[in-house]
């Protein structure tokens, strides 16, 4: 598989994720079909889940979300074997389902826990039946080529999501207080990074952890070269989560009480990982 993952952009494949809420109060298919705000929230849940499970914003794109009653079908084109493999590992471990439930519960403002049933297919192959053979699953996805370009509705939802992330042009509202920072035109209270922040970052940043590390390294001597490459080598066997976890732990240890949430959010913005910043900040979608 090394030869496949070593050439980003030359590898493509397609899979369809089928989703169904088992919570009587939440019908994902109806929400997506019937209400514009519901459609956008369900799309954002899917997008954030893919960001968590595929290791960031790159390496895949959503082509279409369609009705497959009682399921909602999400057709995804993978453009990088490494992103696809990380998604499969997340799906196999149950992390995709967990992420779906977490984001749906938060964005839909549910008062009870939601359970989501999932199924993963590539062409006619039900991948849930062979998740113990990830290389075979990867091959099935690679051989399943997308039959369409991205749907116009998905293009519109992507643009809406991006405009929400950028927010309106900020007016001159005076200086931001020293204990606060601005994100998406909102003034938020700054604080020290917590263990929950570290875990959210490590779960969602994926293979982009080095980029974020270099952004943090602009103001943190402990992350100057070659510290990040040393971390990559030292924790290579443990995988991307542990590499990202150790990166942020090292930042916190080096900076002490100066290791602030604003620094991490700024680094994520610099790396165009706005969705992950939203996830860490637990920001609700704008009405």
């Amino acid at each position: 598989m090394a030869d496949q993952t070593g050439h980003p952009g030359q590898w493509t494949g397609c899979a369809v994720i089928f989703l169904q809420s088992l919570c009587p109060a939440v019908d994902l298919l109806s929400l997506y079909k019937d209400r514009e705000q519901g459609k956008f929230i369900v799309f954002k849940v899917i997008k954030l889940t893919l960001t968590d499970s595929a290791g960031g914003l790159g390496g895949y794109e959503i082509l279409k979300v369609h009705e497959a009653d009682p399921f909602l079908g999400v057709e995804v084109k993978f453009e990088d074997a490494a992103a696809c493999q990380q998604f499969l590992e997340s799906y196999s471990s149950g992390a995709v389902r967990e992420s779906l439930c977490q984001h749906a519960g938060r964005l839909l403002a549910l008062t009870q826990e939601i359970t989501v049933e999932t199924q993963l297919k590539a062409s006619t192959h039900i991948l849930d039946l062979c998740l113990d053979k990830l290389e075979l699953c990867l091959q099935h996805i690679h051989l399943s080529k997308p039959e369409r370009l991205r749907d116009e509705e998905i293009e519109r939802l992507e643009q809406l999501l991006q405009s929400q992330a950028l927010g309106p042009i900020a007016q001159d509202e005076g200086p931001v207080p020293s204990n606060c920072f601005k994100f998406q035109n909102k003034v938020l209270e700054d604080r020290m990074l917590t263990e929950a922040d570290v875990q959210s970052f490590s779960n969602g940043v994926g293979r982009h952890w080095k980029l974020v590390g270099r952004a943090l390294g602009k103001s943190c001597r402990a992350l100057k070269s070659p510290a990040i490459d040393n971390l990559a080598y030292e924790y290579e066997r443990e995988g991307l989560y542990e590499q990202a976890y150790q990166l942020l732990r090292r930042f916190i240890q080096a900076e002490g009480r100066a290791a602030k949430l604003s620094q991490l959010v700024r680094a994520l913005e610099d790396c165009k990982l706005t969705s992950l910043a939203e996830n860490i900040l637990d920001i609700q979608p704008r009405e």
Side-chain angles (χ1 to χ4, degrees), residues 26 91 117 125 131 145 205 210 232 258:
V26 180
Y91 187 89
E117 179 184 351
H125 301 283
L131 289 173
K145 301 301 181 184
V205 73
K210 282 187 177 182

Side-chain angles (χ1 to χ4, degrees), residues 84-105:
C84 187
Q85 181 178 343
Q86 183 164 342
F87 171 79
L88 283 170
E89 290 171 353
S90 299
Y91 187 89
S92 177
S93 69
V96 169
R97 190 179 293 112
E98 184 178 331
S99 185
L100 278 166
C101 295
Q102 179 189 43
H103 291 307

Side-chain angles (χ1 to χ4, degrees), residues 107-271:
L107 295 176
L108 293 169
L110 301 178
T111 57
Q112 63 186 91
E113 288 188 5
I114 179 174
T115 303
V116 178
E117 179 184 351
T118 61
Q119 185 181 87
L120 184 63
K121 294 184 72 174
S123 186
T124 59
H125 301 283
I126 300 174
L127 302 185
D128 303 75
L129 302 178
C130 54
L131 289 173
D132 57 332
K133 302 173 182 176
L134 289 183
E135 289 196 31
L136 178 61
C137 292
L138 196 65
Q139 183 181 9
H140 284 322
I141 291 174
H142 180 47
L143 293 175
S144 176
K145 301 301 181 184
E147 298 178 353
R148 57 171 63 86
L149 298 174
R150 176 183 281 187
D151 191 78
E152 288 184 4
E153 183 174 63
I154 299 301
E155 289 278 8
R156 183 180 64 81
L157 290 169
E158 287 279 11
Q159 291 171 7
L160 187 59
L161 191 59
Q162 289 176 16
S163 66
Q164 182 197 77
L166 293 171
I169 298 174
Q171 301 297 318
D172 185 8
E173 299 170 351
V176 176
S178 60
N179 64 333
C180 297
F181 66 100
K182 185 170 279 191
F183 176 73
Q184 293 185 348
N185 207 34
K186 296 178 180 178
V187 176
L188 304 174
E189 186 175 357
D190 207 358
R191 57 171 172 76
M192 292 176 61
L193 289 168
T194 66
E195 181 64 21
D197 297 327
V198 177
Q199 291 181 6
S200 294
F201 170 78
S202 305
N203 273 318
V205 73
R207 65 189 184 283
H208 300 295
W209 70 272
K210 282 187 177 182
L211 289 175
V212 181
R214 292 188 184 101
L216 290 171
K218 292 175 183 177
S219 61
C220 177
R221 183 168 298 185
L223 296 182
K224 299 291 185 186
S225 180
I228 293 174
D229 289 334
N230 291 342
L231 277 173
Y233 178 77
E234 187 176 351
Y235 295 97
E236 183 178 11
R237 289 179 178 272
E238 286 82 355
L240 292 170
Y241 174 91
E242 190 63 26
Q243 289 171 326
Y245 183 90
Q246 293 299 331
L247 169 78
L248 210 50
R249 290 305 309 172
R250 183 162 298 188
F251 174 70
I252 292 170
Q253 289 166 7
E255 297 294 298
R257 297 182 66 84
K260 294 295 184 72
L261 179 64
S262 58
Q263 292 171 282
L264 177 59
V265 169
R266 194 173 300 116
L268 291 171
E269 286 186 292
D270 289 346
C271 299

Side-chain angles (χ1 to χ4, degrees), residues 18-35:
F18 294 94
L19 314 173
Q20 180 187 17
S21 166
L22 300 182
C23 175
V26 180
D27 185 336
L28 295 176
L29 179 58
S30 295
L31 269 174
Y32 191 82
K33 285 171 55 181
D34 296 342
R35 294 171 45 222

